[in-house]
């Protein structure tokens, strides 16, 4: 379009009142627009090529030089006001329209969103990892060994004499024939022997793993279960170090509870002791208080947790470690048992029957 | 060991106020596992008095029972309060109905009067029964909570323990010594001497710092043979004491107090001679045997059994003997299995008047061996196995003889001591060893004091303690045994806990890290972990369709399996997982994705050597031990059945399929960062056309796919179930070292798609590999996005559509360059796989 076309308004006639009227009309039209289409049409009327203000601007060439400055400024300000009014209305309408669209896109955000089935580790696996982490945090390492084990490693090296009742076929599962001296390990202690034979001293290890006994299978016994054992052999190790370690483990796993050890007997430790855990539920408050019995500790105040002791020098000797220079301690506890009192498992059979409800119940961990 | 507290008090001067529970706590602290503290007779309250049965009329009842209607003199006070006074002219009494057969006229009995409350809250009141008003109850032992005996009512003797006459009306409970507490103690194998009141009293006295009175006061004299002739021909019996008592009254009974203590200790009173031997065994810890002296022929000879010999033991069982057994013999042959059980032929009877008491020392190992072999654990064998006190044998024999004489008449007519009391080994221990090992400051003098109190003879020699243990402590051998003794008596509770400082650790091994990553990744991928018993049956392999040559037939058999139906160790995790599916299905859970990680076992296993334990095994011995073990790789397996995802609001049900099993393996590989390739295969138990083999380099690490329909049928799985099993040990071995991060090219990407027609048996992996190879370095990625079968391509062929993305590291690629690379890729696919370009 050429500038020679006749303008709708004579530039010289672009007086202030006319301009104000045009601006007011534009503002009124924009405000009246309720959709982006209506606003678009209003924009064409007031800011489009045929819009009076636009045409007036285009006709500035015809304005006498003396008035140019004044008229130019007036038109510029007017166009800026109209442009501003349009932009504001545009933003408002866009926001309204977006709001309306999103409101229409409402979905029930409580719908289930299962993209994969609900998986879970076995609580025993999760608990063993957690127990292991306590010791990794102390700078210890995790040791492993075979489940079919030579009976020298499982028994003899641990000072369990050939006549010990635990070595009877009524207690221990043997590979056939018995005189080939292979057993299904009855504890994770053979891993201690392997560690002493193959690792450089000092040794600070834990060995979690599966163990086997020719035992009943009922609510409180399983013939295949899991243990975690710890072994330290270093210079100057004492029973006090064992107590410190057990207290730390109990604190991490159960939160602010103590352990107690009381004398007992195991062939592989001397002195030997039983480990009791202070009841982490009642902290002993239920003892002698029949009004408030504690199910976790049967109102005993303590829970039997495992066995421990100073490594018997005979064990060190069988592994070529000089008991005159080194001493050590060892401890062990059942993982199933720990799970039972820590997480309230009621029936041992649940741990081996593979019911998905059992594994899923701890929601991914043995917290 | 069940120990009445009153019996312990006989030998330990415990504080009067000390309760059984407090004593138990003191003993627990010293290492005795007190399992229960039982209250005896403590629950009886109200009037329980002595009564004399004046008359007892038997009255048969319609229900077949016979009751006795008794008039009982319960003493003037109780008689006066009788609900129904005695008939005119008869002495004052109460009428009581009694169901026991042993109630007789004249007997002194225990009567619970109305108002008494017996154990279990059983309140006594006058009540109508069997047509009479029963005005009290005549009690049996169990009704008073003082024993198990319910065969008859308690019949009291005429006089009490001090010889005073017992009269109707006096309180009965004190006569019964009714209040007692019994500690039930699980004695550890090292503390055999605590299988006696003597040992427990010594521990109790030491734990409570009070005086101990040893019931053993006589020392064993040198060998002599004034009594029954005895000889030992085996080192398993270094000492044998025989004491003869003659002129016994065969009808004599054990005193009530002895019967009561035996009952509380868990033994049944039988006859005077048997009760006395048991009583002394409980008191001193020396098992005794009583022979009928008149049934013994010639002298007693102790020896090893000869092959083929037999013995009928007291329990009536005819037993074959073994050369390892120690036997007691006389002129007639074998008369007893030493330390385990006597024989029938020389057993004392109701007519025995001449008793030969045996108090011998038998070595622990042969007794344990015999007891285990004949599956007979007796009170005697339990003690011999742990090691008894040979120093007490002579005293025990005489204590028993004295009791026989006291209560059965007769007299000691002879004693024989064969052999001598073995001298326990002397040990030399650094005086500071207890403190060093316990981590608690224990001065040498304190250690010395404790050991002396334990009966050890202590001498100080420089910095060492020279220690001679008492004969009752065979457990005190090594220096650390003395450390334990000092620790036990000091109390472990006083030792301060100290966390030891480990050297710098290396954290988890790569395999351990891999396992932990899998514990996170596989559940996130939708799988639930289960843990199964690792036992297997051959029939499971048959049902899997595993051939005779398959590695999975290399089973390791168990000598004593838990179940005869599963006598092997597993070579595959799958049957266990299938069983878990069945168990879940039975509980209504049919949509399952289960996995297990665990060892499998491949035979053959060898013979493991048993090196000595007084030194480290040699390298050769250690290698031989490890070589004897069967292969035990760690496997990882899954099974998916039913719906992978059930039908939902957003999508229809997705049936569990082979691709979920394959995805399981690929998740494992991706988690571990190992490049695993997949090949078409046919392997049991999978569908022959739907089985993938996974390889790392050249090594097969496992399979996945849809299960063979006959396998699904055999294991009761839904058709279409899928499974995977891999050797995760092999996979972990292939975990690469630290990876190399690339330099990322910021030049633009060029995309080209191709559709290739190939035979439908051509694995897409092969086509993809050919394309990748042919495209060269400019190919950044390649993805299959469509698989088409249909009328527009030849029958028996399939169209595979791939998206190729090209990028150069150093420049903007031209279309021409990308097209050239694509053409090269297609050409390679054509060459290797016979692929024809269908569309670009």
């Amino acid at each position: 379009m050429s500038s020679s076309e006749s303008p709708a308004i004579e530039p010289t006639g672009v007086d202030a009142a006319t301009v104000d009227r045009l601006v007011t009309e534009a503002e009124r039209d924009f405000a009246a627009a309720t959709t982006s289409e209506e606003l678009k049409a209003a924009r064409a009327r007031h800011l489009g090529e045929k819009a009076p203000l636009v045409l007036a601007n285009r006709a500035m060439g015809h304005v006498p030089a003396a008035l140019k400055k004044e008229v130019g400024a007036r038109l510029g300000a007017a166009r800026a006001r109209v442009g501003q009014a349009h932009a504001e209305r545009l933003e408002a309408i866009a926001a309204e329209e977006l709001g309306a669209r999103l409101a229409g896109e409402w979905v029930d955000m409580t719908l289930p969103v299962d993209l994969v089935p609900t998986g879970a580790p076995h609580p025993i696996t999760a608990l063993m990892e957690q127990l292991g982490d306590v010791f990794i945090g102390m700078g210890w390492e995790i040791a492993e060994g075979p489940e079919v084990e030579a009976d020298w490693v499982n028994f003899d090296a641990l000072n369990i004499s050939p006549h010990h009742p635990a070595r009877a076929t009524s207690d221990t599962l043997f590979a056939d024939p018995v005189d080939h001296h292979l057993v299904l390990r009855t504890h994770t202690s053979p891993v201690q022997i392997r560690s002493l034979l193959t690792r450089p001293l000092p040794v600070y290890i834990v060995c979690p793993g599966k163990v086997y006994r020719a035992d009943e299978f009922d609510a409180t016994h399983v013939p295949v279960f899991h243990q975690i054992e710890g072994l330290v052999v270093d210079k100057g190790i004492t029973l006090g170090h064992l107590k410190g370690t057990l207290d730390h483990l109990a604190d991490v796993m159960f939160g602010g509870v103590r352990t107690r050890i009381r004398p007992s007997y195991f062939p592989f430790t001397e002195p030997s002791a039983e480990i009791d855990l202070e009841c982490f539920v009642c902290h002993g408050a239920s003892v002698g208080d029949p009004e408030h019995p504690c199910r976790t500790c049967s109102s005993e105040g303590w829970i039997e947790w495992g066995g421990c002791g100073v490594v018997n020098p005979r064990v060190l000797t069988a592994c070529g470690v000089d008991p005159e220079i080194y001493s050590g301690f060892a401890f062990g506890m059942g993982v199933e048992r720990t799970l039972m009192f820590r997480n309230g498992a009621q029936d041992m059979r649940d741990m081996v029957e593979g019911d998905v409800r059992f594994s899923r119940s701890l929601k991914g961990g043995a917290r | 060991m069940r120990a009445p507290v009153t019996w312990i008090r006989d030998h330990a001067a415990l504080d009067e106020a000390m309760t059984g529970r407090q004593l138990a706590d003191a003993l627990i602290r010293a290492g005795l596992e007190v399992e229960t503290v039982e209250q005896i007779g403590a629950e009886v309250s109200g009037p329980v008095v002595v009564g004399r049965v004046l008359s007892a009329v038997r009255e048969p009842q319609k229900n077949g029972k016979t009751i006795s209607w008794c008039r009982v003199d319960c003493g003037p006070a109780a008689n006066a309060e009788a609900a129904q006074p005695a008939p005119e002219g008869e002495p004052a009494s109460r009428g009581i109905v009694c169901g026991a057969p042993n109630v007789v006229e004249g007997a002194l009995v225990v009567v619970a009067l109305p108002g008494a409350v017996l154990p279990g809250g059983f309140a006594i009141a006058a009540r109508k029964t069997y047509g009479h008003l029963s005005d009290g109850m005549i009690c049996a032992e169990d009704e008073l909570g003082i024993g198990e005996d319910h065969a008859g009512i308690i019949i009291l003797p005429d006089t009490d323990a001090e010889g005073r006459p017992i009269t109707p009306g006096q309180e009965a409970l004190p006569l019964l010594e009714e209040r007692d507490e019994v500690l039930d103690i699980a004695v550890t194998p090292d503390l055999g001497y605590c299988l006696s009141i003597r040992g427990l009293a010594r521990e109790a006295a030491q734990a409570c710092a009070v005086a101990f009175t040893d019931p053993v006061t006589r020392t064993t004299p040198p060998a002599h043979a004034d009594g029954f002739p005895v000889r030992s021909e085996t080192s398993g019996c270094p000492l044998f004491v025989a004491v003869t008592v003659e002129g016994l009254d065969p009808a004599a009974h054990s005193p009530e107090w002895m019967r009561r203590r035996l009952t509380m200790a868990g033994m049944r009173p039988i006859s005077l001679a048997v009760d006395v031997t048991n009583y002394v065994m409980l008191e001193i810890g020396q098992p005794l045997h009583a022979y009928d002296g008149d049934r013994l022929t010639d002298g007693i000879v102790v020896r090893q059994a000869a092959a083929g010999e037999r013995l009928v033991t007291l329990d009536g069982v005819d037993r074959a003997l073994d050369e390892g057994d120690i036997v007691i013999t006389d002129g007639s042959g074998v008369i007893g299995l030493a330390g385990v059980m006597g024989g029938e032929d020389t057993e004392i009877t109701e007519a025995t008047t001449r008793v030969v008491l045996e108090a011998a020392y038998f070595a622990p190992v042969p007794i344990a061996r015999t007891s285990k072999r004949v599956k007979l654990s007796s009170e005697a064998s339990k003690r011999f196995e742990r090691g008894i006190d040979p120093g007490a044998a002579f005293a025990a024999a005489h204590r028993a003889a004295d009791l026989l004489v006291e209560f059965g008449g007769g007299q000691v007519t002879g004693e024989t001591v064969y052999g001598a009391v073995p001298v326990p080994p002397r040990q030399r221990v650094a005086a500071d060893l207890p403190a060093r090992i316990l981590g608690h400051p224990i001065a040498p003098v304190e250690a010395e004091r404790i050991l002396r109190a334990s009966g050890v003879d202590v001498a100080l020699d420089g910095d060492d303690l020279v220690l001679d243990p008492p004969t009752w402590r065979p457990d005190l051998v090594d220096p650390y045994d003395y450390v334990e003794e000092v620790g036990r008596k000091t109390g472990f509770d006083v030792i301060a806990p100290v966390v030891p400082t480990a050297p710098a650790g290396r954290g988890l091994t790569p395999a351990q890290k891999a396992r932990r990553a899998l514990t996170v990744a596989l559940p996130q991928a939708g799988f639930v972990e289960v843990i199964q018993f690792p036992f297997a049956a051959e029939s499971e392999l048959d049902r899997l369709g595993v051939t005779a040559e398959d590695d999975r037939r290399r089973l390791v058999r168990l000598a004593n399996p838990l179940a005869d139906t599963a006598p092997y160790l597993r070579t595959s995790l799958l049957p266990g997982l299938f069983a878990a599916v069945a168990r879940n299905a039975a509980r209504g859970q049919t949509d399952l994705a289960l996995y297990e990680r665990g060892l499998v076992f491949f035979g053959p296993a060898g013979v493991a050597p048993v090196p000595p334990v007084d030194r480290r095994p040699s390298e050769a011995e250690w290698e031989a031990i490890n070589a004897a073990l069967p292969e035990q790789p760690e496997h990882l397996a899954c099974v998916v059945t039913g719906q992978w995802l059930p039908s939902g609001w957003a999508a229809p049900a997705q049936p569990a399929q082979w691709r979920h099993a394959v995805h399981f393996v690929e998740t494992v590989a991706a988690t571990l960062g190992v490049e695993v390739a997949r090949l078409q295969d046919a392997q049991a138990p999978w569908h022959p056309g739907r089985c993938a083999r996974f390889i790392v380099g050249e090594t097969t690490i496992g399979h996945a796919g849809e299960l063979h329909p006959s396998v699904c049928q055999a294991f009761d799985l839904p058709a279409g179930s899928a499974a995977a099993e891999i050797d995760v040990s092999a996979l972990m071995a292939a975990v690469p070292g630290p990876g190399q991060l690339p330099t990322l090219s910021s030049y633009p990407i060029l995309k080209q798609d191709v559709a290739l027609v190939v035979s439908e048996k051509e694995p897409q992996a092969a086509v993809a590999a050919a394309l990748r190879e042919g495209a060269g370095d400019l190919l950044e990625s390649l993805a299959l996005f469509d698989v088409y079968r249909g009328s527009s391509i030849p029958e028996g062929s399939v169209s595979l559509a791939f998206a190729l993305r090209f990028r150069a590291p150093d420049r903007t690629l031209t279309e021409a360059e990308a097209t050239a690379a694509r053409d090269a890729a297609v050409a390679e696919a054509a060459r290797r796989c016979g692929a024809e370009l269908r569309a670009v």
Side-chain angles (χ1 to χ4, degrees):
Chain A
M1 186 181 295
S2 92
S3 59
S4 62
E5 284 177 37
S6 61
I9 304 166
E10 280 301 316
T12 49
V14 183
D15 57 286
T18 306
V19 169
D20 281 347
R21 181 180 52 80
L22 288 172
V23 169
T24 307
E25 280 173 12
E27 285 173 343
R28 190 194 59 217
D29 279 5
F30 290 159
T34 54
T35 66
S36 49
E37 274 69 38
E38 286 173 15
L39 185 64
K40 205 171 169 186
R43 184 186 187 281
R45 285 199 300 281
H46 297 288
L47 287 169
E49 292 181 350
K50 301 276 177 57
L53 280 174
V54 174
L55 293 175
N57 194 49
R58 211 170 277 153
M60 275 300 289
H62 304 288
V63 176
L67 293 174
K68 247 186 185 151
K69 191 174 176 191
E70 182 200 333
V71 171
R74 188 181 299 142
L75 279 177
R79 289 179 64 219
R81 280 173 61 196
V82 172
Q84 171 74 14
H86 174 264
E88 283 170 7
R89 189 61 191 143
L90 182 67
E91 193 177 335
I93 286 175
E96 275 168 32
E97 285 184 346
L98 179 64
R101 178 166 69 84
L102 295 185
E105 287 171 3
W106 183 94
V107 293
D108 178 356
M109 290 305 287
T110 68
L111 285 168
V113 291
D114 305 326
L115 297 179
V116 287
T118 309
H122 196 282
I124 291 290
T125 306
L127 183 56
M128 283 205 291
E129 290 187 357
Q130 215 176 337
L131 287 163
D133 283 345
V134 177
F135 294 95
I136 290 292
M138 294 167 76
W140 299 27
E141 292 179 9
I142 296 178
E144 290 149 5
E147 291 174 14
V148 175
E149 184 58 280
D151 70 2
W152 185 87
V153 189
N154 192 75
F155 291 125
D156 298 68
L158 286 155
N159 192 37
I160 301 172
S161 75
H163 306 286
H164 195 281
R167 300 182 68 158
T169 51
S170 56
D171 285 41
T172 297
L173 296 174
F174 284 81
D176 192 45
V178 170
D179 62 8
H180 283 195
H181 301 295
L182 295 173
V183 299
L184 285 171
R185 66 179 181 192
T186 58
H187 42 193
T188 47
S189 312
V191 182
Q192 299 186 18
I193 300 299
R194 290 181 172 273
S195 299
L196 287 176
L197 286 169
T198 57
R199 286 170 180 256
L201 291 166
V203 165
Y204 286 75
I205 53 134
V206 279
C207 23
K210 192 174 281 187
V211 301
Y212 302 76
R213 304 268 170 92
D215 210 342
E216 300 293 316
F217 180 37
D218 59 30
T220 53
H221 299 87
V222 271
V224 183
F225 57 101
H226 299 79
Q227 283 187 333
I228 183 161
E229 291 191 11
L231 170 74
V232 167
V233 174
D234 201 347
K235 290 175 185 165
I237 291 297
T238 73
L239 202 61
H241 291 128
L242 169 60
K243 288 185 71 175
T245 303
L246 293 173
D247 276 350
H248 179 69
L249 177 64
D251 186 29
V252 177
M253 295 301 295
F254 297 93
V257 302
R258 299 165 302 148
T259 58
R260 166 179 89 171
I261 63 170
R262 54 191 162 82
S264 187
Y265 172 77
F266 305 107
F268 30 87
T269 45
E270 187 76 27
S272 302
E274 300 279 352
I275 308 163
D276 291 341
L277 180 74
E278 182 190 31
C279 180
F280 56 93
V281 175
C282 76
H283 295 274
S286 69
V287 180
D289 182 3
E291 300 283 300
H292 304 95
C294 178
R295 278 172 54 194
T296 303
C297 67
S298 311
S299 301
E300 293 280 334
W302 296 94
I303 303 162
E304 279 190 27
W305 197 13
C308 63
V310 172
V311 178
N312 193 316
R314 290 175 186 243
V315 174
L316 297 180
T317 302
C319 297
V321 176
D322 186 350
E324 295 294 318
I325 300 171
Y326 287 95
S327 58
F329 67 77
F331 61 86
M333 52 273 294
V335 181
E336 276 78 358
R337 181 167 167 69
T338 306
L339 188 72
M340 283 185 105
F341 60 70
R342 185 173 186 272
N343 299 87
Q346 300 292 320
D347 192 322
M348 285 281 217
R349 287 170 292 207
D350 291 341
M351 302 189 195
V352 290
E353 287 187 338
D355 191 317
V356 291
R357 292 171 298 172
F358 183 75
S359 289
R360 280 179 183 152
S361 58
L362 288 189
K363 313 244 181 261
R367 288 178 305 275
Chain B
M1 173 83 189
R2 289 173 53 87
V5 173
T6 53
W7 205 349
I8 293 175
R9 284 180 180 276
D10 285 354
H11 303 285
L14 299 171
D15 190 293
E16 283 295 332
M18 185 176 227
T19 64
R21 186 69 247 175
Q22 288 167 332
L23 176 59
D25 287 343
L27 290 173
I28 288 169
R29 188 168 175 271
L32 286 155
E33 192 159 331
V34 183
E35 294 188 322
T36 57
V37 181
E38 206 174 295
Q39 306 292 320
I40 303 290
E43 290 174 274
V44 178
S45 67
V48 179
V49 301
V50 173
R52 185 175 301 275
V53 180
L54 302 177
S55 65
V57 183
R58 296 273 191 269
E59 294 180 357
Q61 301 295 316
K62 286 194 200 109
N63 62 8
K65 284 189 190 164
T66 299
I67 60 109
S68 301
W69 171 236
C70 309
R71 294 302 310 184
V72 185
D73 173 8
C74 300
N79 292 341
E81 286 172 10
Q84 252 176 8
E88 278 292 311
E90 288 181 22
S93 62
R94 298 172 78 105
I96 298 174
V97 171
C98 180
N102 66 332
V103 61
V104 288
E105 203 175 300
L108 275 177
V109 295
V110 179
V111 180
L113 295 171
V117 180
L118 303 190
F122 181 31
I124 302 298
R127 63 188 185 105
K128 274 239 155 89
T129 181
Y130 294 112
H132 298 284
L133 182 67
S134 186
D135 200 8
M137 185 173 91
I138 305 178
C139 302
E141 277 187 359
D142 64 337
E143 288 158 344
L144 290 174
I146 58 172
E148 304 294 308
D149 195 357
H150 190 68
I153 53 165
I154 300 168
I155 306 284
L156 297 169
D158 291 336
T159 55
D160 66 14
E162 275 83 47
R164 292 175 301 226
I166 295 176
T167 55
Q170 77 179 90
E171 277 207 50
L173 295 179
L175 296 170
L176 296 169
E177 233 187 309
E178 89 295 353
R179 283 186 196 207
D180 207 336
E181 290 172 295
V182 176
L183 308 184
D184 194 356
I185 301 170
V187 175
T188 53
D190 57 331
L191 299 182
Y193 69 105
C194 285
L195 287 173
S196 69
I197 297 296
R198 179 194 187 209
L200 291 171
R202 186 189 304 276
E203 288 286 324
Q206 212 175 341
C208 303
V210 298
F212 167 70
T213 316
D214 196 339
V216 171
T217 49
R218 289 190 245 205
T219 53
T220 308
H224 61 282
D226 307 333
F228 199 82
V230 174
R231 192 172 80 241
S232 169
E233 294 176 350
T234 170
S235 61
C237 176
L239 175 71
F240 196 116
V241 176
V243 173
T244 311
V245 180
E246 288 180 74
L248 282 171
D249 171 7
H253 286 295
S254 336
E256 185 60 32
W257 59 264
M258 185 184 289
R259 295 165 59 85
R260 258 186 62 70
R261 279 190 169 173
L262 287 173
T263 305
M264 282 193 284
M267 301 192 87
R268 205 158 49 86
I270 292 169
S271 66
L272 177 63
V274 173
D275 293 353
V276 162
T277 56
N278 283 336
Y279 187 84
V280 174
M281 174 182 71
L282 290 173
E283 184 174 76
I284 294 179
Q286 168 70 52
L288 297 164
H289 188 75
Y291 297 95
D292 183 333
D294 292 325
R295 297 170 80 186
L296 288 171
T297 50
D298 307 333
I300 285 175
V301 176
V302 187
R303 59 167 169 81
Q304 297 296 131
E309 283 186 306
R310 304 188 72 85
L311 171 70
V312 179
T313 43
L314 273 176
D315 52 4
V317 179
D318 185 5
R319 300 174 188 277
L321 304 178
D322 178 285
E323 285 163 336
D325 300 332
I326 301 173
V327 289
I328 316 294
T329 66
D330 71 352
S332 70
V334 180
I335 58 170
L337 201 46
V340 179
M341 192 171 270
E344 262 187 348
D345 292 346
T346 53
E347 191 184 350
I348 48 169
T349 68
E350 289 163 7
T352 302
T353 59
R354 182 169 173 247
V355 166
V356 176
L357 290 163
E358 161 201 308
Y361 178 84
F362 300 115
V365 169
I367 300 302
R369 195 190 150 282
T370 297
S371 161
K372 198 165 90 181
R373 190 183 67 74
V374 301
K375 296 190 171 63
L376 216 169
S377 177
S378 63
E379 290 293 326
S381 69
K382 265 197 295 190
R383 288 172 171 79
F384 283 119
E385 274 174 36
R386 288 171 162 83
I388 60 154
D389 177 7
F394 181 80
H398 274 284
R399 167 89 167 122
D402 292 348
L403 287 168
L404 283 179
V405 169
E406 183 179 354
F407 296 102
Q411 57 182 339
V412 175
T413 58
E415 72 173 35
T416 297
V417 175
Y418 178 86
V421 178
V423 178
R426 170 172 291 188
Q427 184 59 264
R428 181 179 270 275
V429 176
D432 66 345
L433 187 70
R436 272 196 280 133
I437 298 304
L438 297 171
H440 185 70
I442 296 170
V445 288
E446 173 63 4
E448 193 182 333
R449 187 195 63 77
I450 289 170
L451 292 173
R452 277 192 208 286
S454 298
V456 180
D457 217 5
V458 187
L460 208 59
D461 180 17
D463 291 337
D464 290 349
L465 301 173
V466 179
L467 305 164
D468 288 302
T471 48
W472 63 84
R473 292 299 301 270
D475 61 308
L476 295 178
V477 178
D478 293 348
Y480 275 49
D481 298 334
Y482 290 95
V483 171
E484 176 174 77
E485 184 68 8
V486 172
R488 220 157 58 77
K489 300 293 159 71
T490 304
F492 290 169
D493 48 350
V494 300
I495 298 170
V498 180
V499 179
T501 309
R506 286 166 296 184
L508 298 170
T509 64
Q512 289 162 353
K513 283 185 194 136
R515 282 192 207 106
R516 300 222 167 179
L518 292 174
T519 305
V520 175
L522 294 174
Q524 277 179 356
F527 293 86
V528 175
E529 188 185 19
V530 298
I531 297 177
Q532 302 291 310
F533 287 172
F535 306 115
E538 277 192 297
S539 61
E540 289 168 351
L541 297 177
D542 298 340
R543 286 190 283 159
L544 288 179
V546 168
T547 61
E549 299 74 36
D550 193 293
D551 267 353
R552 286 169 285 183
R553 293 278 182 186
R554 283 165 45 200
L555 293 161
V556 176
R557 192 185 180 91
L558 295 178
N560 53 335
L562 290 171
D564 292 335
T565 48
Y568 299 99
L569 291 171
R570 66 187 174 191
T571 52
S572 165
L573 301 178
L574 292 178
L577 283 171
F578 297 165
V581 167
R583 272 193 296 276
N584 275 287
R587 296 174 185 184
Q589 292 123 217
T590 50
D591 298 337
L592 299 164
L594 307 181
Y595 82 98
E596 180 167 16
R597 180 169 58 75
L599 299 193
V600 294
F601 308 84
F602 293 101
V607 182
V610 183
V613 292
D614 57 354
R615 59 162 172 81
R616 182 192 169 91
S618 68
E619 285 306 312
E621 286 165 338
W622 183 237
E623 268 174 37
I625 280 176
N626 287 307
L629 303 179
E631 280 174 53
Q632 303 173 53
E634 187 172 356
H635 274 201
L636 189 54
C638 78
V639 57
V640 287
T641 68
Q643 310 288 5
W644 171 255
L645 281 175
S647 148
W649 61 272
Q654 291 181 41
Q657 281 181 337
W658 60 266
R659 60 199 179 96
H660 300 116
V662 167
H663 182 62
F664 175 84
V665 180
E666 302 210 320
T667 301
V668 175
T671 304
L672 270 53
V674 180
E675 288 276 352
V676 168
R678 191 165 10 127
L679 306 175
Q680 199 78 27
D681 201 357
Q683 158 98 338
W686 287 277
H687 184 305
R690 299 181 178 182
C691 172
R693 178 157 64 97
F694 293 87
I695 55 169
V696 175
E698 300 291 303
T699 311
T700 295
I701 57 120
H703 294 81
E706 183 175 318
L707 289 165
H708 197 290
S710 58
V711 171
C712 289
Q713 199 173 18
F715 285 93
D716 241 349
L717 303 170
S721 294
E725 177 158 22
I726 58 170
D727 179 346
V728 76
S729 303
L731 199 58
M732 288 191 296
V735 170
Q740 201 63 43
L741 291 169
T743 307
L744 300 180
S745 166
S746 52
Y747 291 95
I749 196 145
L750 282 177
K751 302 176 185 179
Q752 301 244 357
D753 294 347
V754 293
L756 299 172
V757 176
V758 291
S759 156
E760 65 180 3
K761 289 287 168 63
E762 191 64 36
Q764 90 55 54
V767 180
L771 285 174
R772 211 171 266 127
E773 190 97 342
D777 292 344
L778 294 178
L779 182 71
E780 185 175 270
S781 71
L782 172 139
L784 178 75
F785 68 90
D786 193 29
V787 178
Y788 170 78
R789 286 181 183 82
S791 54
S792 62
I793 55 170
E795 208 176 305
S797 60
V798 62
S799 167
L800 303 172
F802 292 92
L804 288 72
R805 292 158 67 94
F806 295 98
R807 179 148 36 201
D810 54 350
R811 64 189 190 282
T812 301
L813 275 187
T814 64
E815 281 289 343
E817 281 178 294
T819 303
R822 184 202 70 202
D823 291 346
V826 171
E828 187 63 17
R831 191 181 69 76
R832 284 203 210 169
C833 313
E836 281 179 39
L837 188 62
R838 178 167 167 242
V840 175

